[in-house]
Amino acid sequence: MKRADRIRKNEEFSRIIGRHHSIASDSFVVYFDPRTEDHARAGISVSKKLGDAVDRNRIKRQVREMIRAIVDFDVCPIDLIVIVRKDYLSKTFKENKNNLEKIIKKAIIKQYE
């Protein structure tokens, strides 16, 4: 995921989460809103309950890679905030990726409802 494709500012996180458009699973909560720039962007949040800084950074790198493989930022119509839940640790990378892919597809479909 390129740096330009990331949401980093707290105000942007708050704006998207504040809109209350979300889809949840046992491993993730995905908040979404129509994109505000010419390309989609994504933000990732990992709770301190999931481990120390090294563990959280590893999880962020994994989720960033999942998003990069799933989302085409030039055509995706939404900005995403992905919040990682505790059950993430009990599943494999592939299971988590498939789970996240399903949620993002549902979010894109729900955007048009």
Side-chain angles (χ1 to χ4, degrees):
M1 214 165 82
K2 297 176 192 170
R3 197 163 180 86
D5 296 336
R6 296 185 198 167
I7 297 173
R8 294 184 304 274
K9 293 184 180 177
N10 189 33
E11 299 86 38
E12 295 178 82
F13 269 82
S14 298
R15 180 185 57 81
I16 293 171
I17 291 172
R19 300 281 297 204
H20 302 294
H21 297 144
S22 66
I23 297 177
S25 72
D26 50 352
S27 299
F28 302 100
V29 178
V30 174
Y31 288 91
F32 59 94
D33 203 33
R35 68 184 190 192
T36 56
E37 297 186 7
D38 60 341
H39 62 283
R41 296 174 306 142
I44 301 167
S45 177
V46 180
S47 171
K48 289 184 179 181
K49 294 179 184 176
L50 292 177
D52 62 5
V54 174
D55 293 336
R56 290 193 315 273
N57 285 333
R58 180 181 51 83
I59 292 169
K60 277 192 218 177
R61 283 193 308 271
Q62 288 176 350
V63 173
R64 213 176 289 131
E65 176 59 25
M66 290 176 199
I67 292 170
R68 188 199 59 74
I70 294 168
V71 177
D72 181 358
F73 288 97
D74 293 328
V75 297
C76 183
I78 58 177
D79 287 339
L80 304 164
I81 301 292
V82 178
I83 299 175
V84 181
R85 288 182 161 179
K86 208 170 200 172
D87 281 353
Y88 178 90
L89 299 173
S90 65
K91 297 185 178 177
T92 66
F93 180 87
K94 189 173 183 177
E95 289 172 327
N96 283 321
K97 183 179 174 192
N98 290 338
N99 192 356
L100 184 60
E101 187 172 12
K102 287 177 190 175
I103 293 173
I104 290 174
K105 284 181 181 180
K106 283 183 186 179
I108 292 170
I109 291 168
K110 197 171 181 182
Q111 177 65 31
Y112 291 112
E113 292 179 348

